[in-house]
Amino acid sequence: MTRRPLLVVAGIILAGMLGELSLAPGGRLGAESLPARLTDQEYWKIVSDFSEANGFFQSDNLLSNEQYLQYVIPDLTRTAKTGRVYMGVGPEQNFTYIVAMKPKMVFIVDVRRGNLDLHLMYKALFELSADRAEFVSRLFSKKRPDGLGARSTATDIVAAFWDVDTSEALYNANLTAIYDQLATKHGFALSADDREGIAYVYHAFFWYGPSLQYRSTTGNRGNFGSGGRFGSQPTYADLMVATDAAGEMRGYLSSEERFAFLKDLETKNLLVPVVGNFAGPKAIRAVGKYLKDKGATVSAFYLSNVEQYLYQQGLWRDFCANIATLPLDETSTFIRAVRGGRYGPGFGLSSELGSMASEVKSCGTAGGH
């Protein structure tokens, strides 16, 4: 099967044995009871209890390589309902989808513990930073330039920081502040491996700065590295100033309002990273049970292109069964990474949408592979 049908065509999936789909076409029974915030103990218990063993992926995935990821957002916000639950995988592209969907709670499920460490780093930096300029200063260990404020555009911010020298002193001070925020203020029981993982992730942002790319820390493997078959990867700076097809900036650093929404979620412990294989035995099912117990509904689930790996590994059936445990309705929407297609020109990575409810239902009826 070619990659595009694999990622886009609804219903072309394994014959399955799914049980009853968690679909609520007329609204969920009982009042939604998602928490207004999680205590530190509740947050860390979910992180620990829902997570599976650390898994493997071929790259560090510290940064998206989807330059056109915003193109899908206008249709996404018309299709999926805001103010519900967002799920996703991977790094910062989730933040841009989150500020578009404005969910009450977020779960990021990724097979690598390194992605959890990445999101713990982000959590601390969001909480420590008063505004976008301070956040970017901390993220890249660069002194904040004068003149940046609430009205500065993302382009203004990128331009102001571009020629500022990276500071090892700031890196060391900020890494200590990250540890203190997570372990001392929140009381999270960071393992030695977590501390090492956070330091590894943060050092990459220090070392590469706004020039960080998807493959910066893993070299040019196969066709997807800088200069490979599909050309150079976008940098962090490129993604900060990216737009949708109409030229509107929708990134999470495009306005103080969007940044503040994410900062508020993080401060309230409502953006929860979990280690889990999409086809694994626990993570997605644990999220599904938690949300059903709370009377909540998944609005959108960003999958990246994980499905192709599930196919290759013969795990599609397990993935379908896991997704069927999530509380969905007819507006719940998959977001997939694809090349070109409706929402992106040429070979650039963009996104496609799919109905979660209809596709999961078709798992039990479509022809097998």
Side-chain angles (χ1 to χ4, degrees), residues 2 119 124 131 134 136 159-160 183 292 303 326 334 351 357:
T2 61
H119 280 282
D131 59 14
E134 183 177 355
V136 173
K292 284 194 283 187
L303 301 172
L326 297 174
F334 281 133
S351 302

PDB file of all heavy atoms in Angstrom, residues 2 119 124 131 134 136 159-160 183 292 303 326 334 351 357:
ATOM      1  N   THR A   2       0.527   2.231  -0.804  1.00  0.00           N
ATOM      2  CA  THR A   2       1.301   3.470  -0.824  1.00  0.00           C
ATOM      3  C   THR A   2       1.041   4.288   0.419  1.00  0.00           C
ATOM      4  O   THR A   2       0.041   4.102   1.109  1.00  0.00           O
ATOM      5  CB  THR A   2       0.930   4.315  -2.064  1.00  0.00           C
ATOM      6  OG1 THR A   2      -0.441   4.646  -1.984  1.00  0.00           O
ATOM      7  CG2 THR A   2       1.219   3.557  -3.345  1.00  0.00           C
ATOM      8  N   HIS A 119       8.460  17.513  26.901  1.00  0.00           N
ATOM      9  CA  HIS A 119       7.286  18.258  27.352  1.00  0.00           C
ATOM     10  C   HIS A 119       7.424  18.713  28.803  1.00  0.00           C
ATOM     11  O   HIS A 119       6.843  19.754  29.180  1.00  0.00           O
ATOM     12  CB  HIS A 119       6.019  17.434  27.135  1.00  0.00           C
ATOM     13  CG  HIS A 119       5.539  17.490  25.718  1.00  0.00           C
ATOM     14  ND1 HIS A 119       4.849  18.571  25.216  1.00  0.00           N
ATOM     15  CD2 HIS A 119       5.681  16.624  24.682  1.00  0.00           C
ATOM     16  CE1 HIS A 119       4.579  18.373  23.942  1.00  0.00           C
ATOM     17  NE2 HIS A 119       5.073  17.201  23.589  1.00  0.00           N
ATOM     18  N   ALA A 124       8.060  23.531  32.266  1.00  0.00           N
ATOM     19  CA  ALA A 124       8.796  24.420  33.158  1.00  0.00           C
ATOM     20  C   ALA A 124       9.030  25.789  32.515  1.00  0.00           C
ATOM     21  O   ALA A 124       8.864  26.832  33.168  1.00  0.00           O
ATOM     22  CB  ALA A 124      10.126  23.786  33.544  1.00  0.00           C
ATOM     23  N   ASP A 131       6.104  36.079  29.325  1.00  0.00           N
ATOM     24  CA  ASP A 131       5.586  36.381  27.988  1.00  0.00           C
ATOM     25  C   ASP A 131       6.394  35.639  26.947  1.00  0.00           C
ATOM     26  O   ASP A 131       7.331  34.885  27.261  1.00  0.00           O
ATOM     27  CB  ASP A 131       5.572  37.883  27.734  1.00  0.00           C
ATOM     28  CG  ASP A 131       6.954  38.531  27.856  1.00  0.00           C
ATOM     29  OD1 ASP A 131       7.972  37.802  27.869  1.00  0.00           O
ATOM     30  OD2 ASP A 131       7.021  39.773  27.924  1.00  0.00           O
ATOM     31  N   GLU A 134      10.303  36.303  26.855  1.00  0.00           N
ATOM     32  CA  GLU A 134      11.037  35.621  27.924  1.00  0.00           C
ATOM     33  C   GLU A 134      11.112  34.127  27.648  1.00  0.00           C
ATOM     34  O   GLU A 134      12.133  33.482  27.892  1.00  0.00           O
ATOM     35  CB  GLU A 134      10.383  35.880  29.279  1.00  0.00           C
ATOM     36  CG  GLU A 134      11.159  35.241  30.428  1.00  0.00           C
ATOM     37  CD  GLU A 134      10.569  35.530  31.795  1.00  0.00           C
ATOM     38  OE1 GLU A 134       9.597  36.314  31.886  1.00  0.00           O
ATOM     39  OE2 GLU A 134      11.080  34.953  32.784  1.00  0.00           O
ATOM     40  N   VAL A 136      11.150  32.596  24.681  1.00  0.00           N
ATOM     41  CA  VAL A 136      12.143  32.347  23.639  1.00  0.00           C
ATOM     42  C   VAL A 136      13.556  32.552  24.191  1.00  0.00           C
ATOM     43  O   VAL A 136      14.482  31.799  23.867  1.00  0.00           O
ATOM     44  CB  VAL A 136      11.887  33.251  22.413  1.00  0.00           C
ATOM     45  CG1 VAL A 136      13.004  33.121  21.387  1.00  0.00           C
ATOM     46  CG2 VAL A 136      10.546  32.892  21.773  1.00  0.00           C
ATOM     47  N   ALA A 159      13.440  37.905  14.449  1.00  0.00           N
ATOM     48  CA  ALA A 159      14.473  38.826  13.982  1.00  0.00           C
ATOM     49  C   ALA A 159      15.291  39.389  15.135  1.00  0.00           C
ATOM     50  O   ALA A 159      16.517  39.536  15.033  1.00  0.00           O
ATOM     51  CB  ALA A 159      13.819  39.965  13.195  1.00  0.00           C
ATOM     52  N   ALA A 160      14.626  39.689  16.253  1.00  0.00           N
ATOM     53  CA  ALA A 160      15.327  40.293  17.391  1.00  0.00           C
ATOM     54  C   ALA A 160      16.308  39.318  18.039  1.00  0.00           C
ATOM     55  O   ALA A 160      17.378  39.717  18.494  1.00  0.00           O
ATOM     56  CB  ALA A 160      14.308  40.774  18.420  1.00  0.00           C
ATOM     57  N   ALA A 183      11.053  19.581  40.092  1.00  0.00           N
ATOM     58  CA  ALA A 183      11.311  18.696  41.225  1.00  0.00           C
ATOM     59  C   ALA A 183      11.047  19.350  42.576  1.00  0.00           C
ATOM     60  O   ALA A 183      10.550  18.700  43.501  1.00  0.00           O
ATOM     61  CB  ALA A 183      12.752  18.189  41.169  1.00  0.00           C
ATOM     62  N   LYS A 292     -13.821   8.991  29.920  1.00  0.00           N
ATOM     63  CA  LYS A 292     -15.205   8.525  30.026  1.00  0.00           C
ATOM     64  C   LYS A 292     -15.715   8.679  31.449  1.00  0.00           C
ATOM     65  O   LYS A 292     -16.881   9.047  31.663  1.00  0.00           O
ATOM     66  CB  LYS A 292     -15.309   7.076  29.552  1.00  0.00           C
ATOM     67  CG  LYS A 292     -15.251   6.950  28.039  1.00  0.00           C
ATOM     68  CD  LYS A 292     -15.684   5.586  27.554  1.00  0.00           C
ATOM     69  CE  LYS A 292     -14.603   4.553  27.774  1.00  0.00           C
ATOM     70  NZ  LYS A 292     -14.953   3.256  27.143  1.00  0.00           N
ATOM     71  N   LEU A 303      -2.128  12.569  14.956  1.00  0.00           N
ATOM     72  CA  LEU A 303      -1.458  11.273  14.844  1.00  0.00           C
ATOM     73  C   LEU A 303      -0.080  11.353  14.211  1.00  0.00           C
ATOM     74  O   LEU A 303       0.637  10.347  14.195  1.00  0.00           O
ATOM     75  CB  LEU A 303      -2.307  10.320  13.990  1.00  0.00           C
ATOM     76  CG  LEU A 303      -3.720  10.007  14.467  1.00  0.00           C
ATOM     77  CD1 LEU A 303      -4.450   9.207  13.393  1.00  0.00           C
ATOM     78  CD2 LEU A 303      -3.692   9.234  15.776  1.00  0.00           C
ATOM     79  N   LEU A 326     -11.783   5.375  23.260  1.00  0.00           N
ATOM     80  CA  LEU A 326     -11.867   6.805  23.557  1.00  0.00           C
ATOM     81  C   LEU A 326     -13.303   7.298  23.417  1.00  0.00           C
ATOM     82  O   LEU A 326     -14.042   6.846  22.540  1.00  0.00           O
ATOM     83  CB  LEU A 326     -10.967   7.599  22.603  1.00  0.00           C
ATOM     84  CG  LEU A 326      -9.469   7.320  22.683  1.00  0.00           C
ATOM     85  CD1 LEU A 326      -8.731   8.070  21.573  1.00  0.00           C
ATOM     86  CD2 LEU A 326      -8.912   7.704  24.050  1.00  0.00           C
ATOM     87  N   PHE A 334      -9.411  13.174  13.461  1.00  0.00           N
ATOM     88  CA  PHE A 334      -7.997  12.845  13.346  1.00  0.00           C
ATOM     89  C   PHE A 334      -7.289  13.940  12.556  1.00  0.00           C
ATOM     90  O   PHE A 334      -7.829  14.483  11.591  1.00  0.00           O
ATOM     91  CB  PHE A 334      -7.803  11.536  12.570  1.00  0.00           C
ATOM     92  CG  PHE A 334      -8.052  10.277  13.354  1.00  0.00           C
ATOM     93  CD1 PHE A 334      -8.825   9.265  12.815  1.00  0.00           C
ATOM     94  CD2 PHE A 334      -7.476  10.082  14.600  1.00  0.00           C
ATOM     95  CE1 PHE A 334      -9.046   8.083  13.507  1.00  0.00           C
ATOM     96  CE2 PHE A 334      -7.690   8.900  15.309  1.00  0.00           C
ATOM     97  CZ  PHE A 334      -8.477   7.902  14.757  1.00  0.00           C
ATOM     98  N   SER A 351      -1.040  18.586   6.639  1.00  0.00           N
ATOM     99  CA  SER A 351      -1.926  17.733   7.422  1.00  0.00           C
ATOM    100  C   SER A 351      -3.186  17.405   6.651  1.00  0.00           C
ATOM    101  O   SER A 351      -3.574  18.113   5.713  1.00  0.00           O
ATOM    102  CB  SER A 351      -2.301  18.424   8.742  1.00  0.00           C
ATOM    103  OG  SER A 351      -1.155  18.739   9.495  1.00  0.00           O
ATOM    104  N   ALA A 357     -14.738   8.912  14.502  1.00  0.00           N
ATOM    105  CA  ALA A 357     -15.834   7.979  14.747  1.00  0.00           C
ATOM    106  C   ALA A 357     -16.076   7.065  13.555  1.00  0.00           C
ATOM    107  O   ALA A 357     -16.159   5.837  13.694  1.00  0.00           O
ATOM    108  CB  ALA A 357     -17.105   8.753  15.093  1.00  0.00           C
TER     109      ALA A 357
END
